[in-house]
Structure formats: structure tokens, C-alpha cells
Amino acid sequence: MSLQMTEEEHMARFMKKIENDEKIEADDWMPDEYRNALIKLISMHGISEIMGALPEKEWVPKAPSLRRKLGIMAKVQDEMGHGQLLLRVAEDLMKPYGKTREHIMRDLFSGDLKFHNVFHMEAPTWGDAGLIGWLVDGAAIISQTNMLGASYGPYARALKRICAEEVFHAQHGEAIIMALAEGTDEQKALVQDAVNRWWEALLMFFGPADAKTTGSSKQDITIKYKIRTKTNEQLRQDFFTKYVPRMLSLGLTLPDETMYYDEEQKLWVYKQPDWSRFKEIIRNNGPKSKERLRLRELSYDNNAWVREALSPSGRVG
Ligand SMILES: CC(C)(COP(=O)(O)OP(=O)(O)OC[C@H]1O[C@@H](n2cnc3c(N)ncnc32)[C@H](O)[C@@H]1OP(=O)(O)O)[C@@H](O)C(=O)NCCC(=O)NCCSC(=O)Cc1ccccc1
């Protein structure tokens, strides 16, 4: 019967499901606009988790104690796991286009698929390693809980597990930052320097407020289809509300002297980051973009034999 339905009837039924908060599953009919928005969002999210493992991976051999080494090693492993989980979700969506995870990886190497701005940045000290866990994972929790009720079932279910693990990651980061913030002057300075270095990248984390910066924005589409509920700017404001008081209570100085909370508007007023720099960074012209992409590509090629052995046509042993 469903084969005889017209495109309009399919669309009406689909929108009814969205309105009723029913989940859309991988094999259900969906409009191209919905599928393409999900592919873009989930492949970018998945690949960012994988690229996101690299800055902290640099700190595994240099962690200051065995306990910290085990903690950061487990986190790196978790992030790679999140990436794999999400790439599987994206792969299912790309089936009608005959594309696989291999294509996502190739798109990353060719520059066609962008990864998250924060993972193009340097992490030169142990303060940066702690700050990534505390504030980058903290920002990730805010953006991802915004999609826990996503209309696309496979993504919502993957996010449930991912968010639960991200909470551990944020606690791991917070523990590192608290230890440094209660330490010597030199240790306190490590945290402040890391905050100064990461502030702009953290503002950029949630994306530009509207399409003026990048020329396109899928916020309207993702909100219309109930993939997310809040806009990029609302998420950024939530981040300030949660973390600015915590940063101040640790004795940290905000790198933006002009920032304040406007009681009337119920909004944080802050200095905009340099959005032209954001565009450059996500075009793989950030401080660590090329080096991390090279590393990713090298390990992808070195491990080709594993994928080959596991493929149905591959030989094992
Ligand atoms: C909220 C936002 C980030 C941005 O909302 P959107 O609806 O996409 O905004 P909009 O359409 O207005 O953007 C216009 C254009 O700009 C692009 N663009 C925007 N922002 C960024 C950006 N920040 N970086 C780079 N590009 C960005 C966007 O793609 C689009 O490109 P186009 O012009 O179409 O080519 C959304 O993508 C999201 O929720 N992602 C899922 C969660 C996720 O990715 N989490 C992070 C990683 S996991 C993590 O952190 C855990 C972890 C921690 C530690 C270590 C390891 C792992």
C-alpha cells in the first residue's frame, strides 16, 4: 500500500510523525532535506569525535601521573568509540546514495568534510588537556543534550550513550583543573593561560548565530524537523550561564573584559570572536589542522589491512 502513496502523502505522514514526537527510523521514508541535514550533522559530529581524540592523545605519554594517564587514555578511547558509533549511524543514512564510512573518511582527507573548530587548536600544556575535558566536553554536553530528543531514532539513541560518557569526561577534566587551580602559582597560571588560549575557540564551538558568517545555516531545518530544539546562540548562552560563574569561582579571569550579564534582556553580552578566523580554521587552516589530518590519514592507511580482513570478501588469518 505504501508503494502507491504519492510524494505528498509520504510527506504529510512524515510530518505528522514529527509533530507527534514519533521517532523516524533508518528504513522509514524521509524527505531528502531531512536525510541530507542528518548526514551533514552526524558525519561532522562523528568525524569530530575521531579528530577530537588527537589533542588529548598527545598527552597520554606525558600525563603527570599513572592515574591521570589511565584517565586520559580511557577518555581518548571513548571518543574514538563515539566516532565509530556515529559513523555507523551516518552510513545507514547514506545507503541510498551508495556511500559508506570509507567515503566519509576520504571526504575528511580531501577537505570536503569539515571537523569541529576546537580540534584544529593546539594543546601545549597539561592545563590545555584539563581544559578540553572541562570546557570542551562541557560545551559538547550542552550541544548534544539539545538533541537527546532528536526525531531521528538512531541518532537520539547513540547520543544517550555518548552524553552519559561525556559526563565522565567533563568530571575528569574538572578534576584536573581543580587540582591545578588549588596548586602552586605556576599551576594556577597553567589554567589561566589555557583559558586565554581556548576562549575564542569555545565561543566558536556552537557555530555562528546566523547564516551571515558562513553563507549557510541549517539551524532552521534542524529545528523544523525537531532534530534539535535550540539555536546556536541559545546554546552559547546556556554555556555562559553554566560555566562563567564556575570559572570566576576558581579565581580565573575571563579573557573578555567587556562581558556582562544583562538582567533586562536575560542575556550575556560578549565580544564576538573573529568569525573570519573561524572560517579559515574550519577550512583546515588552523594551527594544527594539517598535522592532525596527516596523522589521521597515516593511521587510516596503516590499518587498511584490518578493514580488509574484516570485510566479507577479505581473508582472515
Ligand atoms: C551546534 C553545531 C556545532 C553547529 O550547528 P549547525 O547547525 O551545524 O550550524 P550552522 O548550520 O549554522 O553552521 C554553518 C556552517 O558552519 C559549520 N559549523 C558550525 N559550527 C561549527 C564548528 N564549531 N566547527 C566547525 N564547523 C562548524 C557547519 O557545519 C555549517 O557548515 P556548512 O556551511 O553547512 O558547510 C552542530 O553542528 C552540532 O550540534 N553538532 C553536533 C555535535 C558536535 O559536532 N560536537 C562536537 C564534536 S564532539 C565533542 O566535542 C566531544 C569531544 C570532546 C573532547 C574531545 C573529543 C571529543
Side-chain angles (χ1 to χ4, degrees):
M1 184 195 153
S2 73
L3 282 178
Q4 287 150 9
M5 281 168 69
T6 64
E7 191 81 1
E8 286 75 27
E9 284 166 337
H10 272 304
M11 189 63 190
R13 201 170 163 189
F14 172 85
M15 284 314 291
K16 188 120 205 118
K17 279 169 112 177
I18 299 279
E19 279 152 28
N20 292 342
D21 292 328
E22 284 175 50
K23 293 290 179 217
I24 309 297
E25 297 299 334
D27 293 329
D28 291 349
W29 185 93
M30 60 184 85
D32 288 347
E33 188 181 50
Y34 181 75
R35 184 184 295 280
N36 293 333
L38 283 170
I39 292 175
K40 187 109 205 251
L41 174 71
I42 302 170
S43 50
M44 188 252 192
H45 184 180
I47 216 66
S48 298
E49 295 271 2
I50 288 175
M51 294 305 287
L54 298 180
E56 285 165 293
K57 174 186 170 288
E58 291 166 12
W59 278 95
V60 171
K62 301 184 286 186
S65 71
L66 183 58
R67 191 166 73 91
R68 295 292 191 211
K69 189 191 284 286
L70 290 173
I72 200 161
M73 202 158 65
K75 180 176 187 304
V76 166
Q77 213 171 358
D78 282 355
E79 307 295 9
M80 293 301 283
H82 297 169
Q84 297 298 342
L85 199 66
L86 291 167
L87 293 194
R88 285 242 178 259
V89 176
E91 192 171 46
D92 279 343
L93 283 161
M94 296 191 311
K95 257 188 207 145
Y97 303 136
K99 286 183 130 196
T100 64
R101 278 190 298 169
E102 175 83 22
H103 293 97
I104 300 184
M105 213 44 99
R106 293 287 158 214
D107 284 351
L108 169 74
F109 300 144
S110 68
D112 288 340
L113 175 61
K114 294 175 187 137
F115 64 100
H116 207 276
N117 73 288
V118 281
F119 305 125
H120 294 257
M121 307 314 283
E122 292 167 302
T125 75
W126 181 242
D128 298 73
L131 189 121
I132 293 173
W134 186 37
L135 296 184
V136 174
D137 279 274
I141 292 169
I142 288 173
S143 69
Q144 289 164 21
T145 45
N146 173 45
M147 297 187 291
L148 271 181
S151 55
Y152 188 57
Y155 189 41
R157 290 191 291 273
L159 284 176
K160 203 170 162 195
R161 170 170 166 189
I162 293 172
C163 284
E165 291 184 358
E166 301 289 22
V167 171
F168 283 115
H169 298 170
Q171 286 168 354
H172 148 94
E174 199 173 42
I176 296 173
I177 294 295
M178 295 287 275
L180 292 174
E182 287 166 1
T184 62
D185 287 349
E186 208 182 331
Q187 287 173 316
K188 286 179 191 157
L190 275 187
V191 182
Q192 185 64 56
D193 286 350
V195 168
N196 297 348
R197 239 188 320 277
W198 282 83
W199 182 250
E200 190 174 50
L202 286 165
L203 296 189
M204 293 169 176
F205 184 100
F206 301 96
D210 50 47
K212 270 189 273 164
T213 307
T214 50
S216 74
S217 174
K218 42 183 192 310
Q219 293 180 78
D220 292 348
I221 297 173
T222 45
I223 291 174
K224 172 175 84 176
Y225 290 126
K226 295 194 183 169
I227 296 167
R228 52 146 66 183
T229 54
K230 294 187 180 174
T231 63
N232 294 354
E233 188 55 37
Q234 284 168 333
L235 295 172
R236 197 168 12 251
Q237 291 284 330
D238 287 351
F239 176 79
F240 293 144
T241 299
K242 182 167 178 186
Y243 285 103
V244 166
R246 294 186 189 194
M247 291 166 83
L248 296 177
S249 76
L250 287 183
L252 293 164
T253 309
L254 295 181
D256 177 0
E257 289 156 12
T258 68
M259 190 168 183
Y260 68 96
Y261 186 70
D262 184 328
E263 290 287 352
E264 228 165 78
Q265 294 188 74
K266 303 258 173 280
L267 281 179
W268 291 92
V269 179
Y270 61 97
K271 197 162 124 232
Q272 286 295 312
D274 181 350
W275 289 109
S276 58
R277 189 167 139 74
F278 167 80
K279 279 206 281 188
E280 271 310 298
I281 291 170
I282 64 174
R283 276 190 205 128
N284 295 336
N285 292 322
K288 285 280 186 174
S289 319
K290 304 241 172 359
E291 188 185 318
R292 295 212 176 112
L293 278 168
R294 230 182 354 263
L295 187 64
R296 188 66 241 140
E297 191 165 13
L298 192 69
S299 84
Y300 191 69
D301 290 345
N302 282 346
N303 295 329
W305 67 272
V306 180
R307 292 189 298 279
E308 214 171 285
L310 290 173
S311 76
S313 57
R315 286 179 301 125
V316 183

